[in-house]
Amino acid sequence: YDSGGPNGNYSILEDYTFTICPSEPHSCIEINLEDYDIEPTILGFFGDALTFYAGVTTSAPVISRVEGQDIGTNFRIQASSQ
């Protein structure tokens, strides 16, 4: 969870990074965002996003990015380990 926990809002200017790895080498992972509601970008400023990378740092290639104007449900991401 973010700073708001399972039912609260996340904090202003929150920047949170974590790594998800499969338990077995060369396995796949799947992330299914069942419901999300993040702050949209207004006039190109101050919007929020969830960015998914194909690696253990933010310099790895981007797999997918969900931005505030993409509010919705059932967003699926699949990736394999390297």
Side-chain angles (χ1 to χ4, degrees):
Y1 299 107
D2 58 27
S3 63
N7 299 312
N9 294 328
Y10 54 89
S11 300
I12 190 168
L13 300 176
E14 184 165 335
D15 186 0
Y16 189 70
T17 303
F18 65 94
T19 304
I20 300 170
C21 297
S23 57
E24 297 289 328
H26 307 293
S27 296
C28 296
I29 60 171
E30 179 178 293
I31 299 170
N32 185 22
L33 298 178
E34 293 181 4
D35 189 24
Y36 58 94
D37 186 0
I38 55 179
E39 189 71 30
T41 302
I42 300 171
L43 300 175
F45 297 100
F46 307 114
D48 294 334
L50 298 171
T51 306
F52 300 88
Y53 298 92
V56 297
T57 70
T58 56
S59 61
V62 173
I63 296 174
S64 187
R65 182 176 170 92
V66 180
E67 298 181 344
Q69 58 269 23
D70 299 327
I71 293 171
T73 58
N74 298 325
F75 188 85
R76 184 176 174 191
I77 300 165
Q78 290 181 311
S80 60
S81 63
Q82 297 180 10

